[in-house]
Amino acid sequence: MRPTPDWLISEPYTDVDLGVIKSGKEAQVNLIERTGDVSSCLIARKLYLPREVKEKGALEALGVQRSSTFRNDVQYREGRQFRKSRDRRAVEKMTTHGKHLLQDRWTEHEHDVMGRVWAAGAAVPYPVGYADDQFDMEYVGDSTRAAPQLYAARLDRAELDDAFDQLILGLQCLTSEGIAHGDLSAYNLLWWRQTLVFIDFPQAIDIAANPQGLGFLHRDVLNVCTWFERKGLDVDGEEVFAGLLAFT
Ligand SMILES: Nc1ncnc2c1ncn2[C@@H]1O[C@H](COP(=O)(O)OP(=O)(O)OP(=O)(O)O)[C@@H](O)[C@H]1O
Ligand SMILES: [Mg+2]
C-alpha cells in the first residue's frame, strides 16, 4: 500500500486561491494554497466549466474565463452504470437531471480512477478530494511555474528516450488496473523533474466493461506513439499496443 503523502495538510485548514494555472475548453485549473496549523501545501483545483450556462456574462459571474459546450460523451459512458432506472433514462435522454448526474460523476470518476492508478504506483497527481464540479489534486510544479505539458517541455534526446520508457511503464500500470486513459496525448502528460506525469482522467474507461475499451487503448497508444515518432524516436505503436495486451 502506498501511504498517504506526508505533504498533504489535514483539517483544519484554509484554502486561498492563488490564480489560474490554465484555462481550457472543458476546465480551468487553479493553484490553491492550503494552510494548516503549522505549514501549507499547494494543490491544483480543476473546476469543470458549467455546461448549461450559455451566456458569457453568466460564466464570468461564476469566476470562469471561457464558455464550454456539453461534451458528447455517450461512447465514454458505455459500461458505466446508473443504478436507478429513472437516472439511467435521464442520462440517455440528456435531460437537465441527466446532465447534472453526469457532471457530478466526472469529478467523482476522475478522483476514483486517479486514486486507483496512484495506489498502483503510476505517476499521477495524488487525488485530494472532489465536489460537484471541482476536483482537487497534487500540484505538479513549484512556486515559480507549473509543470509544462510534454509537447511544450523541450526534451533533449536522452530525456525523450527516458520519457518514452516512462510512458510504457505508465501504460502497463494503467492497463493492469483495467483502465484506458481515453484522451492520452502530449497535452495530457506533464514533464516535471525528469518525471512523466499522467493527468486528465475524467473520460477514463474500464477496458473490460466498455465494449470499445481496447479500441480506446489502441487509439491512445497510437496517438502518443506518433508524437514520439515525430520527435525522432524509433517506435512502433502497434507493437506497443500488442505488448500491452499481456497486461489486460
Ligand atoms: N495537477 C496539476 N499540476 C499542474 N498543472 C496541472 C495539473 N492538472 C492540470 N494542470 C494543467 O491544467 C491543464 C488542464 O488540465 P486537464 O488536462 O486536466 O484539463 P482539460 O479537461 O484538458 O482541460 P481543457 O480540455 O479545458 O484543456 C493541463 O494541461 C495542465 O497544464
Ligand atoms: Mg487536458
Side-chain angles (χ1 to χ4, degrees):
M1 259 291 277
R2 224 174 150 181
T4 308
D6 53 12
W7 55 262
L8 186 61
I9 303 286
S10 50
E11 292 194 48
Y13 57 72
T14 49
D15 283 349
V16 175
D17 192 334
L18 301 181
V20 179
I21 298 174
K22 190 133 201 206
S23 168
K25 44 185 201 313
E26 311 261 325
Q28 174 175 309
V29 179
N30 285 24
L31 181 61
I32 305 294
E33 182 173 34
R34 176 163 292 185
T35 305
D37 283 341
V38 287
S39 58
S40 65
C41 66
L42 293 173
I43 284 172
R45 175 165 293 164
K46 185 168 175 180
L47 300 151
Y48 282 87
L49 304 190
R51 287 162 169 127
E52 287 157 58
V53 186
K54 294 276 179 345
E55 313 80 35
K56 196 162 170 285
L59 278 171
E60 280 161 1
L62 287 163
V64 296
Q65 295 186 337
R66 291 179 48 175
S67 177
S68 103
T69 49
F70 197 84
R71 192 199 307 240
N72 181 4
D73 53 358
V74 173
Q75 282 180 305
Y76 292 117
R77 290 199 311 273
E78 274 184 290
R80 283 168 62 193
Q81 300 294 317
F82 282 84
R83 253 170 275 134
K84 294 184 197 150
S85 58
R86 185 177 73 95
D87 289 348
R88 220 168 26 237
R89 274 197 308 277
V91 168
E92 280 161 13
K93 290 187 179 153
M94 279 295 187
T95 63
T96 304
H97 175 57
K99 287 182 183 179
H100 279 301
L101 285 173
L102 277 179
Q103 178 140 5
D104 291 351
R105 290 199 162 207
W106 285 117
T107 55
E108 182 183 355
H109 184 61
E110 183 161 33
H111 177 272
D112 291 356
V113 169
M114 279 170 81
R116 267 172 67 191
V117 296
W118 184 88
V124 295
Y126 178 74
V128 171
Y130 67 92
D132 281 359
D133 52 6
Q134 74 180 44
F135 166 52
D136 286 352
M137 67 189 128
E138 177 178 1
Y139 164 68
V140 188
D142 62 22
S143 57
T144 61
R145 66 173 188 140
Q149 291 161 290
L150 177 64
Y151 87 95
R154 296 168 173 267
L155 276 60
D156 65 26
R157 177 59 202 233
E159 288 174 323
L160 276 171
D161 284 337
D162 184 15
F164 185 73
D165 290 346
Q166 292 187 46
L167 172 76
I168 301 301
L169 285 174
L171 281 170
Q172 288 173 350
C173 185
L174 261 67
T175 310
S176 305
E177 281 298 305
I179 289 166
H181 182 286
D183 189 18
L184 196 61
S185 72
Y187 295 91
N188 285 330
L189 293 163
L190 304 178
W191 181 250
W192 186 247
R193 296 185 175 149
Q194 310 302 313
T195 299
L196 187 75
V197 181
F198 289 61
I199 60 162
D200 203 3
F201 284 81
Q203 71 292 309
I205 286 134
D206 183 325
I207 296 174
N210 189 307
Q212 298 167 59
L214 285 177
F216 281 113
L217 178 63
H218 185 247
R219 193 184 67 181
D220 276 353
V221 169
L222 291 196
N223 191 23
V224 76
C225 283
T226 302
W227 186 85
F228 277 96
E229 249 182 301
R230 291 207 183 107
K231 291 283 163 189
L233 266 62
D234 182 19
V235 301
D236 180 342
E238 293 294 351
E239 211 171 274
V240 171
F241 176 68
L244 282 174
L245 291 178
F247 290 81
T248 52

